[in-house]
Amino acid sequence: MAEGRTLQAICEQIIPTDQTPGAAWAGVVNFIDRQLTGPYRRQQAAYRSGLQEIDDAAVGKFGKDFAALDGQMQTEVLQSLTGGAKRFFSTAIAHTMQGYYGDPRHGGNRDAVSWRMLGVPVIPIRGRNRYELPKQGA
Amino acid sequence: MALKHVNAVIVGAGAGGGVAAKELAAGGLSVVLLERGKWYTAADCRKDDLRNQRTSVLGNNSGPDEARNPRVVVDLNGQERVALPSEGGYSNNAGCVGGGTFTYGAQAWRYQEKDFRMASTYGVPEGSTLSDWPISYADLEPYYEKAEYEIGVSGDVSADPFHGPRRKPLPMPPLPVGREHTILKPAAQGLGLHPFDIPMLRNSVPYGGRPPCMQCRWCVGFACEVNAKCGTQNTAIPMALATGNCELRTGCMAREVTTDARGRVTGVAYYDADDRLREQTADIVIVSSAAVESARLLLNSKSTMHPAGLGNAHDQVGRNLQGHTYTGAWGLFDFDTYDDIGPGASIAVCDYNHGNPGLIGGAMLANEFIRLPYQFVSAGMPGVPQWGSGHKDFMRQWYRRSIAVQGPTQEIPIAESRVQVDAKVKDFWGLPVARLSGGKHAKTMETSVAMAEKAEAWLKAAGAIRTWKKLAGKGTSGGQHQAGTCRMGDDPRTSVVDKYCRVHDQDNLYVIDGSVHVTNGGFNPVLTIMATAYYAAERIVKGRKGRGV
Ligand SMILES: Cc1cc2nc3c(=O)[nH]c(=O)nc-3n(C[C@H](O)[C@H](O)[C@H](O)COP(=O)(O)OP(=O)(O)OC[C@H]3O[C@@H](n4cnc5c(N)ncnc54)[C@H](O)[C@@H]3O)c2cc1C
Ligand code: SF4
């Protein structure tokens, strides 16, 4: 799907791959897709039009869809956004950060890749097993 | 079927309501405690760094219900928008048994003596409604102590020379200190400050039949799975229920405080867990729904005798909405500061709460709770791009090498910062929603900037190689430290309740929660809310004993 490719490319611009994997590998698009049917429900329309506007901007500037541009051109497109497209891009930044740095259970941060990068112990709580309490009756 | 008449009905099972329920029930009154939310356990609210009471980008973990409880928020330009509980500006605490105390950070501060006498200490700046409390630190001292012992507080304030006189030390020792504490302590001492272990409503040793804290990464905003965090849901409310005199009804949303033809309060009308309208009659009604919802409930309780809402004959209900203007600073270090030992916040100084030349009030400064990775994303170091490889590098390099110090600047109350009920927007039950508007006083902003400078200086002294300030906006107040909307006072024209938390023109209606704070101290407010609840409830119980109940 064109929208999916555009979003994937935008997310990867926001958190690119370097010595550690970026947003694409971490599954940020998967995270966003899942949230768009849940907590981000109200933003479905914003995503649809925002992605379209960014593609339009890419075509206007370089004559190709966003995902088809090279990295440098993509960066330029994102840096030159204005108005609604710019607002959508800030939403996409926030959501990408959530998907990359948030809990893997939501479909992003595959293999806790960002936590490993930051050096946050992935096994979360020392001795937590001792405390896995059975759910108490209310 | 009519509900059995009781001595008291309390709306809201949070900090204030929970304590009031316990005191009244223990004093022999029959009590019904209404709570709109559920009684959760930690197992219901698993630790989720995107879905909790601090970071609610994917929702809250302990209410209120997202779809049923909108509010209207008006910004400084008069732009209004509908906000949902998980959205910015909503000022959400919680909607559950325990209220904010189920997931709070649990800092357990007593206000200082001067915090009760702000107008006498500083004068009344133009454009503000700054005022003294009608009660003093000394009046509340025994009740602070009661809260510390009955709910449970750990810490050690003996090295803090600025606190008011106290009869007893805290009941529990502080938790073992973490790395940030060891870095910040000598630095503060070097600056001539007086650092000490933050008092916390958190078990450091077994207390109240519950185990000590296991110092995990997820504390503020989360439920504690070992029950080491002390809230009213695991202290006062179970104690109230154990007396046999208190009935807790969850899923019950109060609609209005009801009155008879003469305008006297008779009880509370509410929607029960099946959304049926019920009426609980009582001799006494206590509103403890937190500063925003308590004001809303009174304003929504309109009748011929009270056309502007209850307690609102002088247009005071909902005014003076305040919280805290949080500012501070970040510091980056050339060594690891992160040790993954919770709760994080552990060391504080109170040197700047008062006595800052030219300023009004100030703030306690403390290191911040553990920052989860997503929270560090918005650290906002100047010069770091918001996205791209520059941002990723920043995260990678500094996440484990940063410390944040910050503090709650005491806000100078203003009448225009307020809660009203909205003329158009209704909630799920058809009730007009709270409408928050107004901003902050210029003096508040001035102090908050000075506090950020102090925080920055502390970090520099601790060896930070790079520092920058975190400043705050001057928009709508409120937030999780919301207070002030039914302020206490002797003069009915400028306050809503008297010095015993009783609504001025009513003999059986009380507000017992953060709403009654005249000013909110340069400290997190909850221990003062609990102490005031012990104090006011004791008076209610004594008053009834005099009348043979
Ligand atoms: C994440 C977080 C961290 C915090 N950290 C600290 C801290 O470290 N130190 C500190 O001092 N404070 C802290 N606070 C703030 C503290 O929790 C609040 O100041 C305190 O809980 C307020 O007490 P209250 O009695 O005014 O209201 P609440 O505790 O909010 O209780 C109000 C209750 O009323 C219920 N209610 C509202 N309307 C209705 C209605 N119409 N019908 C029925 N029920 C209703 C609500 O659901 C709620 O349970 C924190 C809060 C949060 C959320
Ligand atoms: S830090 Fe302690 S009190 Fe807080 S949630 Fe973890 S175990 Fe509970």
Side-chain angles (χ1 to χ4, degrees):
Chain A
M1 196 181 67
E3 274 182 0
R5 278 193 15 246
T6 308
L7 181 57
Q8 174 94 313
I10 294 171
C11 295
E12 183 68 13
Q13 276 287 320
I14 294 170
I15 304 176
T17 303
D18 46 21
Q19 64 265 47
T20 44
W25 188 88
V28 168
V29 170
N30 182 45
F31 165 85
I32 292 176
D33 274 345
R34 268 167 66 170
Q35 308 319 316
L36 280 172
T37 60
Y40 302 168
R41 234 178 350 257
R42 298 200 302 170
Q43 317 209 40
Q44 281 174 10
Y47 263 86
R48 214 158 284 134
S49 59
L51 292 173
Q52 187 62 54
E53 284 179 71
I54 289 178
D55 262 335
D56 292 348
V59 172
K61 216 172 166 72
F62 297 111
K64 283 194 215 159
D65 280 356
F66 186 80
L69 301 179
D70 70 28
Q72 185 52 42
M73 291 171 172
Q74 289 181 342
T75 308
E76 278 179 46
V77 171
L78 294 175
Q79 280 168 346
S80 62
L81 295 174
T82 54
K86 190 173 179 179
R87 276 195 298 280
F88 165 71
F89 183 50
S90 358
T91 307
I93 294 175
H95 291 173
T96 302
M97 297 296 178
Q98 291 160 22
Y100 190 78
Y101 292 107
D103 195 305
R105 82 168 59 114
H106 298 293
N109 196 6
R110 165 149 51 126
D111 208 13
V113 62
S114 68
W115 297 355
R116 290 173 202 280
M117 171 182 93
L118 299 182
V120 182
V122 175
I123 298 296
I125 299 179
R126 247 175 292 269
R128 178 173 184 159
N129 302 348
R130 283 189 290 137
Y131 293 103
E132 287 286 320
L133 302 177
K135 186 171 163 167
Q136 302 152 4
Chain B
M1 190 187 67
L3 297 164
K4 191 166 166 276
H5 181 87
V6 291
N7 294 139
V9 56
I10 302 176
V11 183
V19 167
K22 185 257 151 184
E23 286 298 282
L24 264 52
L29 278 71
S30 56
V31 177
V32 165
L33 180 55
L34 298 176
E35 169 55 50
R36 64 180 172 172
K38 295 185 179 143
W39 196 343
Y40 296 112
T41 65
D44 301 315
C45 321
R46 58 194 228 166
K47 307 260 181 166
D48 185 330
D49 54 2
L50 300 179
R51 188 173 180 281
N52 58 75
Q53 301 305 101
R54 168 133 306 181
T55 302
S56 52
V57 292
L58 299 185
N60 293 302
N61 61 17
S62 47
D65 185 89
E66 191 79 356
R68 293 185 167 204
N69 296 281
R71 280 179 185 162
V72 172
V73 182
V74 187
D75 72 16
L76 284 179
N77 303 319
Q79 286 282 355
E80 54 181 80
R81 67 188 166 91
V82 173
L84 303 185
S86 68
E87 292 175 344
Y90 183 92
S91 285
N92 187 32
N93 244 344
C96 66
V97 174
T101 75
F102 181 55
T103 56
Y104 60 5
Q107 296 195 36
W109 294 103
R110 293 181 176 206
Y111 292 172
Q112 294 177 352
E113 291 175 301
K114 282 187 181 146
D115 294 327
F116 296 89
R117 297 188 274 108
M118 288 296 287
S120 311
T121 307
Y122 296 99
V124 181
E126 210 180 310
S128 86
T129 49
L130 191 62
S131 183
D132 290 351
W133 287 54
I135 57 176
S136 66
Y137 172 83
D139 292 325
L140 274 191
E141 201 282 334
Y143 305 96
Y144 272 130
E145 181 183 297
K146 191 163 181 185
E148 287 164 349
Y149 277 76
E150 210 164 280
I151 314 288
V153 175
S154 62
D156 183 359
V157 298
S158 60
D160 168 32
F162 303 102
H163 65 70
R166 46 184 306 143
R167 294 177 303 177
K168 283 195 196 171
L170 295 171
M172 287 181 268
L175 285 168
V177 303
R179 202 174 288 162
E180 291 192 3
H181 190 115
T182 42
I183 297 167
L184 290 170
K185 187 172 179 179
Q189 285 166 333
L191 290 170
L193 306 176
H194 301 82
F196 61 99
D197 300 272
I198 301 177
M200 301 270 199
L201 287 139
R202 180 180 288 104
N203 285 1
S204 58
V205 293
Y207 194 84
R210 289 174 292 105
C213 167
M214 60 174 179
Q215 302 205 265
C216 74
R217 190 188 298 162
W218 293 276
C219 194
V220 62
F222 301 98
C224 176
E225 60 264 70
V226 295
N227 240 341
K229 194 147 70 170
C230 317
T232 56
Q233 82 288 344
N234 58 15
T235 55
I237 293 170
M239 288 179 207
L241 299 179
T243 64
N245 294 333
C246 177
E247 185 195 338
L248 169 65
R249 292 188 198 142
T250 57
C252 292
M253 174 71 185
R255 174 198 157 92
E256 64 185 300
V257 177
T258 53
T259 49
D260 63 18
R262 288 172 301 136
R264 186 166 190 272
V265 167
T266 54
V268 172
Y270 68 95
Y271 294 97
D272 70 11
D274 300 314
D275 300 318
R276 284 172 308 199
L277 185 59
R278 314 296 300 260
E279 187 169 344
Q280 177 63 56
T281 60
D283 304 337
I284 295 174
V285 171
I286 299 177
V287 177
S288 304
S289 308
V292 173
E293 292 298 313
S294 286
R296 175 188 176 210
L297 185 61
L298 293 182
L299 293 171
N300 273 338
S301 302
K302 293 192 170 87
S303 61
T304 352
M305 298 299 289
H306 305 285
L310 273 165
N312 198 30
H314 297 283
D315 187 24
Q316 289 300 303
V317 172
R319 290 195 181 274
N320 307 310
L321 172 66
Q322 56 199 288
H324 284 115
T325 302
Y326 254 96
T327 56
W330 287 98
L332 303 181
F333 293 79
D334 55 8
F335 51 87
D336 271 14
T337 54
Y338 186 82
D339 59 5
D340 206 34
I341 293 177
S346 132
I347 185 167
V349 299
C350 293
D351 295 74
Y352 302 122
N353 279 75
H354 292 282
N356 301 296
L359 300 175
I360 300 184
M364 166 279 296
L365 295 180
N367 69 321
E368 169 57 330
F369 289 92
I370 286 196
R371 282 135 347 254
L372 299 169
Y374 175 64
Q375 294 167 332
F376 193 63
V377 163
S378 46
M381 180 164 100
V384 173
Q386 283 171 353
W387 55 281
S389 56
H391 187 270
K392 189 179 178 190
D393 274 340
F394 171 77
M395 294 291 292
R396 183 165 36 213
Q397 237 185 317
W398 301 113
Y399 180 73
R400 291 179 60 97
R401 299 169 164 204
S402 55
I403 297 181
V405 167
Q406 58 181 28
T409 288
Q410 166 140 219
E411 292 183 356
I412 307 306
I414 54 177
E416 299 73 36
S417 170
R418 64 192 295 202
V419 177
Q420 293 168 286
V421 287
D422 197 77
K424 296 188 293 286
V425 182
K426 307 271 195 305
D427 68 6
F428 168 83
W429 299 272
L431 308 172
V433 305
R435 175 186 173 88
L436 312 184
S437 63
K440 293 171 189 156
H441 196 274
K443 278 296 205 186
T444 303
M445 301 316 293
E446 207 179 302
T447 307
S448 77
V449 173
M451 293 303 111
E453 284 161 3
K454 305 290 185 198
E456 195 170 19
W458 187 2
L459 288 162
K460 284 204 172 105
I465 51 174
R466 175 83 205 262
T467 58
W468 69 98
K469 290 189 251 313
K470 309 204 266 183
L471 296 173
K474 61 177 179 350
T476 328
S477 187
Q480 299 185 320
H481 293 179
Q482 56 188 262
T485 56
C486 302
R487 65 155 44 164
M488 204 190 254
D490 295 326
D491 183 350
R493 288 167 309 174
T494 56
S495 59
V496 177
V497 300
D498 68 13
K499 64 180 190 180
Y500 301 110
C501 296
R502 200 186 64 180
V503 172
H504 283 303
D505 57 0
Q506 293 289 331
D507 66 351
N508 61 345
L509 175 62
Y510 294 80
V511 180
I512 300 184
D513 63 14
S515 314
V516 305
H517 289 195
V518 180
T519 49
N520 214 15
F523 295 102
N524 314 50
V526 82
L527 198 75
T528 304
I529 296 173
M530 291 169 172
T532 308
Y534 278 112
Y535 151 89
E538 181 186 275
R539 167 93 181 183
I540 294 174
V541 171
K542 277 194 185 143
R544 292 191 57 98
K545 290 239 166 75
R547 304 213 318 260
V549 173

